[in-house]
Amino acid sequence: MKERIVKALERAEKKGGIKAAEWRLVSTNSSRQERYYVKDDLELAREVEEARQSLTVYVDGEEGGKKTRGEATISLQPSFSDEEIDAKIAQALFAASISKNPWFDLPGAAAAKSVLPVSGFETMDETSRAEVCRKALFAPETLSEEKPCPRINALELFVSKTSKHFINSKGARFDTVQWKGYSEFIVEAKGDSGPVELFDDIAFSQPDTARLTAATGARLANVKDRAAAVPTPALKNLPVILEGREAEEIFAWFFNNASTESIFMKVSPFFLGINVQQNDPASSVADPLDIWAESAIPGLPDSSSYDSDGFPLERTLVVKKGTLKCLTGGIRYADWLGQPRKGAFPLFSVSEGSFSLEQLRNQPCLELIKFSDFRLETTTGDFGGEIRLAYWFDGTRRIPVTGGSISGSVAELRSTMVRSKERGLGARSLCPVAVKLTGVSITGAL
Amino acid sequence: MAERPHSTFLQARKPVLSRVIKTLAPQFDYISVLGADDRGISYSATPGETRTGEPTWVQRGFVFRAQKNGVVAEYACPDIDQDAAAFAGKIVPVMEKLLAAPGALRYPTIPDEPLNAEFKGTVEIDPFTTDPNLVLSRLIKLREELTDGHIVVMAQTRYECMDVSRLFLSPKRDLMQSFAWSQAYIFGVSRRGQLSKTSYRPVSGRSGLELLDNLETSLPELKEELVLLLDAVKIEPGVYDVILDPDMAGTLAHEAFGHGVETDMFFKGRAKAAEYINKRVGSDLVTMYDGAAGVDQCGSYLFDDEGRAATKTKVIDKGILVSGISDTLSALALKIPLTGNGRREAYSHKAYARMTNTYFAPGESKVKDMIASVKKGWYLSRLNSGMEDPRNWGIQLIAMVGKEIENGAFTGRIASPVFCSGYVPDVLGAIDMVSDDFTLSGSGFCGKGYKEYVKVSSGGPCIKTKMRLG
C-alpha cells in the first residue's frame, strides 16, 4: 500500500503541477477482541480488524517575502482504487498549496530516546488475553442476597493490538506496537430507597491483574456507600478534596496550558518564567509542584517514543517548584515561538505533595469520589460537576453524601492547592492521588 | 441542489456481499452485513494557521452479524475478498469461535422481514466540489473579525462535512442510504490579565456550505458576549426559576429521558424509567419525541445500523412516560417494538440503543412572557455539556452563559459557567411554561458513557422550570 501511495503522489504531482515539498505516511493496522457482559453473562462477543493509512502532504510557498508551508491530511485504505487515491491526493495537494502557514521543518531520521516497556499481552494466547482480564475485574465481586449486595451490573472489555509504521520524506522511519486494554464497568448496590450505581473505566497496557481487581474493588466499596448516602447539605467555606481522575484533570490544566500550541494560539495565559501556581504575583503558594512531560509510563497505553510529527520524545522537566521552565508540544509551534523543540508528549507526571492522604482528610472537608460528569475547561480553568458520591468529614464523622454540585476555577484557586504524597496512575499521568482546594463553591442537594 | 451519490465502493462490493450472505445464510439462524463508506472534509482557521483535513468520522468497512441457537456475534473488517465463497469460508470459523464463547446470552431469533429501500439526501452548496480557497478565506475572515487583539485575544473557526453512505444486506433486506451533514463553529477567548473566558456559536444540519451564512450573522452578538463574560458573576448556590434556551432544553430532554429510555439500559436493569412506563414523570406541558424520522437534522436517516427503518417515537405524552427507544437485541429480549435506534459509532463498533433527534414539543407561551413571569431567576444558554443518570435520575447541565432576570426583566448581569442539577421528575414536573417556537441543533455528539459517539440533534422550544444552580 505504501508503494501505491508514493507512486500516486508522484502521478498527482506531475498531473496537477503542484509538488509536495515533504510528506508523511502513517500506516495503522489493528485487531481487537471485544466482550460485553450483563451481570456475568456474555451479551455479545465481537472481533474487529481495522486498517488505515494517513497521508499528510506539505506544499511550500511564499507570502510577503516569507517562506510558507501549507498542509493537508487525508486517510486512505487498501480498498481504495488507484483512481480514488489519485483524486484524494490531488485535492490534498491543492488544499495544502493555498494554506500559507509559517514554514517549519519536518523531523528527519532520529533514534528513539525512550524505551517502551514490552506488554505482557504480547506473549499471551488470544483466548487468555481477554479471559485473564475478565477474571481480574470480576474477582472482587462477592455475591450475596443481603443489602446492599454490591455487584457488577455491566462490564465491557476490549483488548487491542495496534501496529503503526511511520515514514516521512525526510527519512524518519519507525515502527511501534501498542497493546491497549480498556474496560468500562457499572457497579450497583441496593439502598433503602432503591438500587444505585456508579460508573468507571480503566485503560491499561499490561495484563496487570492486581490493578484491574483494585479498580472494580474500589468502586464496589464506593457504591455500597452511595446506597447509604444522604443528600449533600449546604456547606460553606469547606475545603474540598478531588481524587483520582478529577485530581489528574486539575494537574492536567497546568500541563496543557504549558504547551507550545496553547501559548502560540493565545489560548493559555502562561509564559516562560511565570509561577503557574500563582493567580496573582502577590499570592503565596501552598505546595510548589514539579511537572514532567513523559513519553512512557509503565501501565499506560498511550506511552510513545515519538510524537505525531515523528519527533523523538525524551522526558522533560516542564514546571519546577511552580515555575514554568520549558514548553513542550507540537514542534511547529515551538519553532514559531522561537523555543527549542521538545515534541508533543502523550503523558505527564507530577511530583509528590507535602501531605499524606490521611493528613489531607483529617480536617473538616468534602472529599469527592464520583461525579455525574466532572468538567474542567482548559482555557478558563472553570470546573465542576454534580456529585454522585462524596464523603463529608465534619470533624468527627465521615458521612457519605450524594447530590448537589461543586464549582470553582483552578485559575483562581491554584495558590491554595495542596496535594497528596501518595501517587497513582491516571488516564495519562502518574500524579498525586488527591488534591485539596479551598474556596470551591458547594451547592447542597436540599 | 446537489444530490449525495451512493458510494461507488459499496456499490462495487454489493454483488460479492450478496453472494457471501447467500452462502452464509444456511449456516446461521440470522446473518446480515452493514457496509459503511463515509467520506469527509474539514477546514479550520486558527491564529497564524489554516488546515484542511478530514473529520475523525471518516470510515470504510463492513460488520457482519450472525446468530445461531440464540447467541449473537459480530465480525468487523475493513474490506472483503472478491471471491465470495472464499470470504464466506473465512468468516464461518471466526463466527463459530465467537458464538461458542462461554456464558453467552440467548436472544429470540432476529427478525428479517423483507424490505428494499434507498435514500439520497441533498445539499445546496457541495463542500466536496467547492474551491477550498473560498471556504478557508471565509473562515479566516470570520476569525479575524472576532479577534480584536485586546479583549478577544483569540478566535478559531472550523467547518466540516461528512458524506455518509451505508448499505445493509440480509437474506431479505436490501437497503442503501447516502446523505450529508455539516457543522461549523466559531470559538473565541477573551482575557483580562490571567482571567480567561470563552464562548462560541455553532451551526449544523443535513446541509453543505450554506451553513456558513448563519455563522456570519452570529458574530456581533458573540463578540459582545465575550466582553461581558469577563465581568461574569458567581451564582449564589440555590434553587431558581430558570428559562432554558432550545439547546439547553433539548439537552435536558436528551439527558433526562433520552438516555433514560434507551432500552438496552432497561435490559441491564439500569433504567429507573422501566418502572415508570405509563406513569407521570413531568407536568402536562411536557411532550417529548425522539426519532430519525419526522424531522430533518443531523440525527435523521432512513435506516439504522442494524437495518431497521427509522421511526418517530413519542417518549413522553403530556407528562406520561409512554415508550422507550430500542436497538434490536434489547427489543427482542424485552419483547418490545423495534424503533430503529440501533446505532454504531462506526462499522467497527457495537450497536447500542441510541438517540437520534430528541426534542420537546412546542407549547403556547411567548418567550417574552416567560421572561416577564420570572421574579428572580436566570435565562440559561450556550450549552457546554450534559450528563445522564438513568438509574437514579440525577441531571447535570452546564451553561456557559446565564443571564439574570429580576422582576420580569434582564438585569444585565451574567454568570459563567452555571452548573445546573436536580432530580429529573422534579425538574420536568416544575415545567410551567413552554414556548411556541422550535429549533433543533445538531452541532454536538452523543456518547454512551464516555465513548461510542454518534451524531444527534436536540432542541425544541424554550422551557421554564426550576433547577438547582451553582
Side-chain angles (χ1 to χ4, degrees):
Chain A
M1 185 66 188
K2 184 181 76 186
E3 288 72 27
R4 278 180 73 200
I5 292 170
V6 173
K7 280 182 185 166
L9 181 57
E10 289 168 3
R11 279 198 303 273
E13 286 176 332
K14 276 183 194 162
K15 194 175 173 186
I18 300 171
K19 185 161 172 51
E22 307 288 356
W23 53 264
R24 177 183 73 198
L25 180 63
V26 183
S27 310
T28 308
N29 285 286
S30 65
S31 59
R32 187 167 70 240
Q33 288 178 284
E34 300 181 359
R35 300 288 182 270
Y36 299 82
Y37 297 93
V38 177
K39 308 290 191 293
D40 48 8
D41 293 327
L42 180 68
E43 179 197 7
L44 185 67
R46 303 180 81 244
E47 192 163 308
V48 177
E49 292 170 19
E50 292 178 281
R52 182 172 290 202
Q53 326 279 323
S54 174
L55 175 71
T56 303
V57 292
Y58 302 88
V59 177
D60 287 353
E62 195 180 296
E63 192 171 64
K66 287 186 178 172
K67 202 173 171 187
T68 63
R69 172 161 281 183
E71 72 174 74
T73 299
I74 50 173
S75 66
L76 304 165
Q77 291 205 11
S79 60
F80 276 40
S81 66
D82 285 344
E83 292 73 25
E84 284 178 301
I85 293 173
D86 288 353
K88 287 196 85 166
I89 291 178
Q91 285 169 359
L93 284 169
F94 180 70
S97 74
I98 60 173
S99 282
K100 304 293 181 188
N101 302 330
W103 193 85
F104 73 101
D105 201 4
L106 298 189
K113 294 178 177 174
S114 54
V115 179
L116 302 186
V118 175
S119 173
F121 283 120
E122 191 70 55
T123 53
M124 296 170 80
D125 64 59
E126 186 186 303
T127 41
S128 55
R129 280 182 201 120
E131 186 55 19
V132 163
C133 299
R134 185 196 68 80
K135 278 185 181 164
L137 289 159
F138 276 95
E141 197 181 49
T142 49
L143 300 180
S144 81
E145 289 306 309
E146 286 178 29
K147 280 186 184 176
C149 185
R151 68 172 301 172
I152 292 172
N153 170 286
L155 184 145
E156 298 184 357
L157 175 61
F158 305 156
V159 181
S160 66
K161 180 184 185 180
T162 302
S163 305
K164 198 178 274 188
H165 177 65
F166 182 104
I167 182 170
N168 75 15
S169 54
K170 295 269 292 182
R173 176 189 293 257
F174 57 87
D175 294 286
T176 61
V177 173
Q178 179 201 45
W179 280 96
K180 180 175 182 180
Y182 175 80
S183 181
E184 170 187 299
F185 48 91
I186 313 294
V187 294
E188 64 182 5
K190 293 171 193 159
D192 287 338
S193 54
V196 296
E197 70 173 35
L198 290 174
F199 166 98
D200 208 350
D201 61 1
I202 183 169
F204 45 98
S205 61
Q206 300 282 353
D208 181 347
T209 53
R211 186 173 166 224
L212 298 181
T213 298
T216 46
R219 289 301 170 227
L220 285 164
N222 289 151
V223 79
K224 202 170 149 182
D225 286 342
R226 190 183 183 195
V230 297
T232 306
L235 300 166
K236 282 196 171 178
N237 304 319
L238 197 67
V240 304
I241 297 176
L242 296 166
E243 296 185 5
R245 177 170 303 169
E246 286 75 31
E248 181 183 36
E249 288 203 40
I250 297 287
F251 297 124
W253 181 79
F254 295 97
F255 183 64
N256 293 338
N257 277 292
S259 80
T260 54
E261 182 172 1
S262 58
I263 290 175
F264 175 79
M265 291 199 183
K266 297 189 173 68
V267 171
S268 165
F270 287 4
F271 49 85
L272 278 175
I274 189 179
N275 188 320
V276 298
Q277 290 181 264
Q278 290 177 314
N279 55 336
D280 74 67
S283 60
S284 60
V285 174
D287 196 5
L289 51 70
D290 294 346
I291 300 177
W292 290 81
E294 304 277 1
S295 56
I297 295 176
L300 297 188
D302 290 336
S303 298
S304 178
S305 299
Y306 295 88
D307 73 3
S308 59
D309 284 316
F311 188 83
L313 301 172
E314 187 173 22
R315 188 170 190 252
T316 298
L317 182 63
V318 176
V319 172
K320 186 177 181 184
K321 296 201 181 306
T323 301
L324 181 56
K325 293 288 185 187
C326 178
L327 307 182
T328 62
I331 54 172
R332 75 187 63 190
Y333 304 106
D335 289 1
W336 299 343
L337 287 169
Q339 291 298 311
R341 292 179 162 195
K342 296 293 179 185
F345 287 75
L347 308 170
F348 66 95
S349 66
V350 176
S351 56
E352 64 181 42
S354 306
F355 305 90
S356 69
L357 192 51
E358 196 182 330
Q359 287 172 314
L360 292 180
R361 286 171 172 161
N362 70 8
Q363 297 295 317
C365 64
L366 186 66
E367 182 186 352
L368 295 138
I369 304 298
K370 283 300 284 180
F371 291 89
S372 294
D373 182 25
F374 182 82
R375 290 275 166 172
L376 194 155
E377 173 33 64
T378 302
T379 306
T380 63
D382 294 331
F383 66 84
E386 189 202 22
I387 301 164
R388 286 202 178 164
L389 176 67
Y391 296 103
W392 169 35
F393 180 58
D394 64 0
T396 52
R397 294 169 306 161
R398 190 166 179 251
I399 305 158
V401 296
T402 189
S405 64
I406 65 155
S407 63
S409 167
V410 65
E412 288 175 27
L413 305 176
R414 55 187 136 166
S415 62
T416 73
M417 181 179 81
V418 294
R419 61 195 194 281
S420 67
K421 278 182 181 167
E422 297 86 345
R423 296 197 300 168
L425 287 180
R428 64 177 187 119
S429 73
L430 173 66
C431 64
V433 297
V435 60
K436 192 172 191 175
L437 292 163
T438 304
V440 174
S441 174
I442 302 167
T443 303
L446 295 171
Chain B
M1 299 291 268
E3 189 176 73
R4 308 323 296 160
H6 289 327
S7 153
T8 52
F9 167 74
L10 292 178
Q11 287 177 313
R13 293 293 188 272
K14 189 176 169 185
V16 181
L17 284 168
S18 297
R19 289 200 294 278
V20 171
I21 292 296
K22 199 173 174 184
T23 306
L24 293 175
Q27 302 185 56
F28 300 102
D29 300 329
Y30 174 84
I31 184 78
S32 67
V33 61
L34 174 78
D37 186 15
D38 300 351
R39 64 174 182 155
I41 193 162
S42 68
Y43 296 97
S44 64
T46 54
E49 196 177 14
T50 58
R51 286 201 203 190
T52 304
E54 295 179 345
T56 53
W57 318 97
V58 168
Q59 58 164 328
R60 176 182 276 192
F62 302 95
V63 56
F64 290 84
R65 170 179 278 189
Q67 185 179 30
K68 198 170 188 178
N69 300 323
V71 179
V72 179
E74 290 187 341
Y75 168 66
C77 52
D79 199 5
I80 57 168
D81 297 342
Q82 290 302 299
D83 182 337
F87 188 69
K90 265 189 209 171
I91 287 188
V92 169
V94 175
M95 286 297 193
E96 293 290 1
K97 179 189 70 183
L98 292 169
L99 290 166
L105 288 167
R106 295 180 193 280
Y107 296 89
T109 304
I110 299 171
D112 190 30
E113 304 94 343
L115 183 64
N116 292 308
E118 72 164 336
F119 172 75
K120 285 182 182 174
T122 57
V123 298
E124 280 181 37
I125 306 173
D126 189 343
F128 292 91
T129 56
T130 300
D131 181 353
N133 236 332
L134 295 175
V135 186
L136 282 175
S137 58
R138 283 180 83 175
L139 293 179
I140 292 167
K141 185 165 178 276
L142 270 168
R143 199 195 77 69
E144 289 177 348
E145 281 180 11
L146 184 61
T147 317
D148 62 17
H150 300 290
I151 297 172
V152 182
V153 294
M154 181 271 186
Q156 65 180 56
T157 44
R158 182 176 174 87
Y159 169 82
E160 60 187 11
C161 179
M162 285 298 301
D163 233 352
V164 175
S165 207
R166 303 281 164 88
L167 166 72
F168 183 88
L169 293 175
S170 66
K172 294 182 182 169
R173 293 197 163 211
D174 181 345
L175 309 170
M176 187 99 194
Q177 62 183 349
S178 300
F179 55 85
W181 58 257
S182 290
Q183 60 184 6
Y185 66 82
I186 180 162
F187 168 88
V189 178
S190 53
R191 181 164 299 134
R192 185 187 297 141
Q194 287 280 301
L195 175 67
S196 304
K197 288 291 174 185
T198 64
S199 193
Y200 69 100
R201 290 292 183 277
V203 287
S204 62
R206 289 215 303 183
S207 45
L209 278 164
E210 60 271 21
L211 269 185
L212 289 180
D213 297 343
N214 298 332
L215 208 55
E216 281 155 0
T217 58
S218 68
L219 212 56
E221 187 190 58
L222 174 59
K223 196 163 192 167
E224 187 184 341
E225 190 172 283
L226 281 164
V227 175
L228 287 171
L229 279 168
L230 289 173
D231 293 309
V233 299
K234 286 192 168 50
I235 283 184
E236 180 66 26
V239 175
Y240 293 90
D241 279 345
V242 294
I243 296 171
L244 304 182
D245 80 348
D247 212 9
M248 292 285 295
T251 306
L252 172 66
H254 177 107
E255 303 296 350
F257 270 103
H259 284 295
V261 297
E262 291 167 340
T263 57
D264 52 356
M265 308 293 261
F266 286 22
F267 178 58
K268 291 171 181 169
R270 287 191 59 204
K272 195 175 185 130
E275 303 155 24
Y276 277 76
I277 295 290
N278 296 322
K279 292 181 183 170
R280 180 163 293 280
V281 294
S283 79
D284 284 342
L285 298 177
V286 179
T287 294
M288 182 190 138
Y289 294 91
D290 178 273
V295 292
D296 188 5
Q297 241 291 350
C298 288
S300 303
Y301 48 72
L302 176 69
F303 60 90
D304 71 6
D305 295 329
E306 297 180 300
R308 303 290 152 196
T311 63
K312 175 180 171 182
T313 305
K314 186 182 270 188
V315 176
I316 301 174
D317 184 16
K318 296 188 178 93
I320 307 297
L321 182 64
V322 289
S323 179
I325 54 174
S326 65
D327 65 306
T328 297
L329 296 185
S330 67
L332 290 174
L334 297 166
K335 297 183 176 58
I336 57 175
L338 294 159
T339 61
N341 287 74
R343 304 186 67 190
R344 304 173 190 270
E345 178 177 309
Y347 77 90
S348 53
H349 288 235
K350 179 183 183 282
Y352 297 81
R354 305 304 301 272
M355 280 171 274
T356 54
N357 306 297
T358 312
Y359 48 91
F360 288 121
E364 296 176 347
S365 298
K366 300 291 179 195
V367 175
K368 64 178 174 55
D369 295 332
M370 294 167 74
I371 294 166
S373 73
V374 175
K375 193 172 178 193
K376 183 168 178 57
W378 296 85
Y379 181 94
L380 303 176
S381 61
R382 306 271 74 84
L383 173 79
N384 173 284
S385 66
M387 182 51 89
E388 79 279 14
D389 184 7
R391 177 55 96 42
N392 302 112
W393 278 357
I395 179 78
Q396 169 180 314
L397 297 174
I398 304 174
M400 288 168 77
V401 180
K403 293 182 180 174
E404 189 182 46
I405 306 169
E406 275 187 9
N407 300 317
F410 289 120
T411 65
R413 289 207 315 161
I414 64 173
S416 176
V418 183
F419 288 83
C420 321
S421 60
Y423 182 60
V424 166
D426 291 348
V427 175
L428 297 191
I431 292 176
D432 60 358
M433 294 178 95
V434 178
S435 72
D436 59 357
D437 49 2
F438 184 86
T439 311
L440 284 180
S441 170
S443 57
F445 291 88
C446 167
K448 193 96 166 172
Y450 290 91
K451 59 183 184 63
E452 311 300 340
Y453 292 97
V454 295
K455 196 70 184 147
V456 295
S457 81
S458 59
C462 291
I463 62 165
K464 178 169 161 264
T465 183
K466 289 183 192 297
M467 289 191 84
R468 192 173 296 114
L469 307 183

